[in-house]
Amino acid sequence: MTPDVAAAADRIRPHARRTPLWRTEVDGRPIAFKLEHLQLTGSFKLRGAVNTLVAAGSPGRVVTASGGNHGLGVAKAAQLLGLHATVFVPVSAPEGKVRRIEAAGAKLIRHGDTYAEAVLAARETPGFYVEAYDDPTVVAGQGTVAAEVVQDAPDVDVIAVAVGGGGLAAGTALASGRLTVAVEPERCCALHHALAAGEPVDAEVDSVAASALGATRVGDVPFGILSTHPVTSVLVSDAAILAARDRLWEEFRLAVEPAAAVPFAAWLDGRVPGELACVVLCGANTDWTP
């Protein structure tokens, strides 16, 4: 664990849950699930938000833009710290996530057709802007997920995570000392394109998991980390993602959003190496019902 991640763990400890790590078997193969969908707000995003706000000295007015989970994390982090948050979301943001952002006490503003348009409006608003993924402090906060995995299961030799803007994957690479398997939908894969190009580039966003993984470009900070640490990029189809999501429910009664099933889809397809892989189930903010 790097010093930045260790400091983040200390900052978030009074506010975030230490989520369970569960060992089981699927198809006769051992697997560990990090049940991060049980985090406050139903997503790992709370970790990076709390770390950022505490590290910044708890600024009075907080602003951000989000497709859903990040905004919810910032809204809840601000509520826990007694701060006022304003969250911009595109008009296409899922209603379930929008409802939860408002329930966490934030002022919600719908703006633009895309996340990028919401970001532009948010940055013009007075207040401390919390990045979704392209920030070292956010990345360190997300790295606490993998730090807990390594502490609870030191025999885990690879960690598989879903990738949007790259914050969770970068934090995993920083904190774990293990191979990070970075999994993306086939038509929503900004990191995959960036690794091929040698730099962040714009990518299409068209997936059942786009509301959570819909970054058009991987962040510069995450890319810098992921391009210099042991990382394998894997792509999975939308059909495989939905099948993995359904199987998590049918076999284990774990109800997650499509994005959280992305790394499990890769594992089911035999594309996650190692003797014992940990699959991070990163979120559950969906109105999907079994």
Side-chain angles (χ1 to χ4, degrees), residues 245-246 249 255 286-290:
R245 177 201 65 179
D246 292 348
W249 173 254
T286 175
D287 285 336
W288 164 79
T289 52

Side-chain angles (χ1 to χ4, degrees), residues 108-145:
L108 183 99
I109 299 176
R110 299 174 189 263
H111 181 89
D113 294 325
T114 65
Y115 167 67
E117 291 173 359
V119 169
L120 289 175
R123 288 191 182 281
E124 294 174 353
T125 302
F128 179 84
Y129 187 85
V130 183
E131 294 283 353
Y133 47 82
D134 200 13
D135 178 87
T137 312
V138 172
V139 169
Q142 319 306 27
T144 61
V145 177

Side-chain angles (χ1 to χ4, degrees), residues 36-138:
E36 187 62 15
H37 68 298
L38 301 180
Q39 185 56 260
L40 293 173
T41 75
S43 163
F44 73 96
K45 290 285 192 177
L46 178 81
R47 295 172 181 261
V50 168
N51 189 45
T52 299
L53 293 179
V54 174
S58 296
R61 300 188 68 83
V62 178
V63 63
T64 197
S66 172
N69 283 340
H70 169 66
L72 184 51
V74 171
K76 185 64 175 180
Q79 185 183 59
L80 290 168
L81 297 170
L83 312 175
H84 180 274
T86 301
V87 179
F88 286 76
V89 299
V91 295
S92 59
E95 192 56 40
K97 295 181 181 182
V98 168
R99 171 170 44 83
R100 293 179 176 101
I101 290 170
E102 291 184 306
K107 178 181 179 182
L108 183 99
I109 299 176
R110 299 174 189 263
H111 181 89
D113 294 325
T114 65
Y115 167 67
E117 291 173 359
V119 169
L120 289 175
R123 288 191 182 281
E124 294 174 353
T125 302
F128 179 84
Y129 187 85
V130 183
E131 294 283 353
Y133 47 82
D134 200 13
D135 178 87
T137 312
V138 172

Side-chain angles (χ1 to χ4, degrees), residues 24-42:
T24 186
E25 285 191 358
V26 177
D27 296 338
R29 291 188 289 155
I31 186 173
F33 288 118
K34 177 62 168 170
L35 305 182
E36 187 62 15
H37 68 298
L38 301 180
Q39 185 56 260
L40 293 173
T41 75

